[in-house]
Amino acid sequence: QVQLVESGGGLVQPGESLRLSCVGSGTTFRTYTMAWYRQIPGKRREWVAIITLGDTTNYADSVKGRFTISRSSAGDAIYLQMNDLRPEDTAMYYCNSPRAYTSNFVPVAGEVWPWGQGTQVTVSS
């Protein structure tokens, strides 16, 4: 059973940066399209960023130009560099592999693995 472990969250002020990391026990991400998602209590989980096997990336409009998704060279981790953080970025952040994505590189059709615990990002002054 693959267990996803996210880390790197924290409490920051608006305009600051964080770098999230995701690793998976029992798997490598080298052969998977991967994505970051986030969820606010009471709301549906939403995707934030995707990176395909060919390293094509796409971002939700709300984070475009501020967040960057990447893979480790060994393929055993993915990262989310978050710059110019805003209070509306406050959420629990998760990684997973989307089962499919559209021609516009938007995740669809659910996720491959059970969700991990996530890492909390709080942006507040």
Side-chain angles (χ1 to χ4, degrees):
Q1 179 80 339
V2 172
Q3 290 187 323
L4 299 170
V5 180
E6 301 90 351
S7 62
L11 171 63
V12 297
Q13 295 189 343
E16 294 186 338
S17 298
L18 282 173
R19 188 191 193 212
L20 307 184
S21 299
C22 169
V23 296
S25 64
T27 189
T28 174
F29 299 147
R30 191 177 299 116
T31 57
Y32 289 91
T33 288
M34 294 297 296
W36 283 96
Y37 304 77
R38 66 186 182 187
Q39 187 172 26
I40 301 169
K43 291 195 173 183
R44 289 187 64 180
R45 194 168 353 227
E46 62 177 6
W47 79 281
V48 173
I50 185 173
I51 183 166
T52 70
L53 287 177
D55 287 342
T56 296
T57 59
N58 191 29
Y59 301 89
D61 287 343
S62 58
V63 307
K64 202 165 288 186
R66 300 186 296 122
F67 289 12
T68 303
I69 187 172
S70 62
R71 298 178 183 271
S72 67
S73 56
D76 56 356
I78 62 164
Y79 307 105
L80 186 67
Q81 178 67 40
M82 306 187 296
N83 298 330
D84 189 24
L85 283 161
R86 304 169 181 171
E88 53 264 38
D89 295 319
T90 295
M92 189 72 78
Y93 284 71
Y94 304 86
C95 65
N96 214 315
S97 177
R99 292 187 179 278
Y101 50 87
T102 69
S103 59
N104 295 324
F105 302 101
V106 176
V108 294
E111 295 73 38
V112 172
W113 299 304
W115 295 102
Q117 295 296 309
T119 186
Q120 177 68 38
V121 172
T122 303
V123 186
S124 175
S125 56

